[in-house]
Amino acid sequence: MSALIETHALTRRDERRQTLLLQPTDFSLNRADRVSITGSSGSGKSVFLRALALLDAPTSGQVLWNGQPIANTEIPHYRSHISYLSQRPALIEGTVEDNLRFPFSLKTLRQRRFDLAAVTALLEHAGKTQEFLGKNAADLSGGEAQVASLIRTLQLNPEVLLLDEPTAALDPTSSRDVEALINAWFAADNARAYIWVSHDLEQARRMSEIHLQMSAGVLSGAARP
């Protein structure tokens, strides 16, 4: 069986400074993998994750999805299956429910429909009631905004989550809410996988079975804690 995502000699260069941010990287993410990546600030963790998500075009090398290269026209479809979540969620004006309904207005998802029952189940995993849907996005705390952003992603049933320090700015309770959501999503389907970038070694060990390190753009490790 082919990996969900593979990279071959993937690099990312800062063209302005002419520095290599990501050294040639071979990587494979298989179904049911729970991977964490730790490393100091500026080591290349986010650079690697954003390249995997095809948010930033790789300078050289290749990203394969289910064994196949991804054409430019297929990138929106790819991103509906391989979802990137940043440390700072971007929410639109309106209520939480407005934000959760928004993806279904996009061209790639117009054949799908908002599912209140599925969203309610996700809310429960994060300790929220349906009343949360009526809250104004502008009034949410950092933790609430991250939960809303994560549910907006999880309702689409992605194959892979690319989590770029999603709890770094959150208090411990909110962090646990996010972890609970990820665990519930992962447990529901053994074909899923995720990569969690974290500065928190304890969290990295708690949330992964494969622990990698990033240093000066070099990915190494594959130790199982």
Side-chain angles (χ1 to χ4, degrees), residues 17-31:
R17 297 180 180 177
Q18 286 300 302
T19 56
L20 204 56
L21 304 175
L22 180 66
Q23 300 290 335
T25 300
D26 294 331
F27 172 79
S28 179
L29 183 74
N30 299 306
R31 298 178 194 281

Side-chain angles (χ1 to χ4, degrees), residues 80 102-113 156:
S80 71
F102 173 72
F104 301 101
S105 68
L106 302 177
K107 184 177 180 181
T108 54
L109 295 170
R110 282 181 187 159
Q111 302 305 312
R112 300 173 63 176
R113 295 288 179 267
L156 304 177

Side-chain angles (χ1 to χ4, degrees), residues 108-180:
T108 54
L109 295 170
R110 282 181 187 159
Q111 302 305 312
R112 300 173 63 176
R113 295 288 179 267
F114 177 75
D115 185 340
L116 181 59
V119 164
T120 300
L122 289 168
L123 288 170
E124 289 175 357
H125 287 302
K128 309 293 184 189
T129 67
Q130 274 199 30
E131 292 178 356
F132 183 67
L133 296 176
K135 295 191 74 168
N136 193 305
D139 297 333
L140 299 179
S141 68
E144 288 174 329
Q146 192 63 291
V147 165
S149 178
L150 184 53
I151 290 176
R152 182 174 59 188
T153 294
L154 295 184
Q155 68 177 341
L156 304 177
N157 295 316
E159 289 181 71
V160 173
L161 287 180
L162 303 174
L163 302 155
D164 196 353
E165 300 199 52
T167 65
L170 306 185
D171 61 75
T173 299
S174 297
S175 294
R176 292 292 186 169
D177 288 343
V178 169
E179 289 181 13

Side-chain angles (χ1 to χ4, degrees), residues 14-216:
D14 182 334
E15 297 297 343
R16 185 169 59 87
R17 297 180 180 177
Q18 286 300 302
T19 56
L20 204 56
L21 304 175
L22 180 66
Q23 300 290 335
T25 300
D26 294 331
F27 172 79
S28 179
L29 183 74
N30 299 306
R31 298 178 194 281
D33 277 354
R34 300 191 309 143
V35 177
S36 64
I37 302 176
T38 58
S40 61
S41 294
S43 61
K45 304 184 303 297
S46 295
V47 171
F48 176 59
L49 223 58
R50 289 181 61 85
L52 280 185
L54 298 181
L55 292 171
D56 297 328
T59 302
S60 62
Q62 197 172 37
V63 178
L64 301 180
W65 177 32
N66 293 316
Q68 299 297 318
I70 305 144
N72 287 340
T73 56
E74 295 172 332
I75 289 176
H77 181 61
Y78 172 78
R79 288 189 190 142
S80 71
H81 290 265
I82 313 299
S83 296
Y84 173 89
L85 190 77
S86 68
Q87 182 182 138
R88 295 177 180 81
L91 300 178
I92 63 170
E93 291 183 2
T95 65
V96 170
E97 184 169 340
D98 290 334
N99 275 271
L100 300 188
R101 289 182 177 275
F102 173 72
F104 301 101
S105 68
L106 302 177
K107 184 177 180 181
T108 54
L109 295 170
R110 282 181 187 159
Q111 302 305 312
R112 300 173 63 176
R113 295 288 179 267
F114 177 75
D115 185 340
L116 181 59
V119 164
T120 300
L122 289 168
L123 288 170
E124 289 175 357
H125 287 302
K128 309 293 184 189
T129 67
Q130 274 199 30
E131 292 178 356
F132 183 67
L133 296 176
K135 295 191 74 168
N136 193 305
D139 297 333
L140 299 179
S141 68
E144 288 174 329
Q146 192 63 291
V147 165
S149 178
L150 184 53
I151 290 176
R152 182 174 59 188
T153 294
L154 295 184
Q155 68 177 341
L156 304 177
N157 295 316
E159 289 181 71
V160 173
L161 287 180
L162 303 174
L163 302 155
D164 196 353
E165 300 199 52
T167 65
L170 306 185
D171 61 75
T173 299
S174 297
S175 294
R176 292 292 186 169
D177 288 343
V178 169
E179 289 181 13
L181 273 170
I182 300 300
N183 284 330
W185 165 82
F186 182 79
D189 187 340
N190 62 11
R192 293 170 173 167
Y194 66 75
I195 304 172
W196 191 309
V197 163
S198 179
H199 272 111
D200 184 340
L201 283 172
E202 183 180 332
Q203 182 185 64
R205 293 189 180 99
R206 183 169 64 245
M207 295 301 295
S208 70
E209 293 171 341
I210 302 169
H211 180 201
L212 308 177
Q213 295 87 37
M214 183 73 82
S215 178

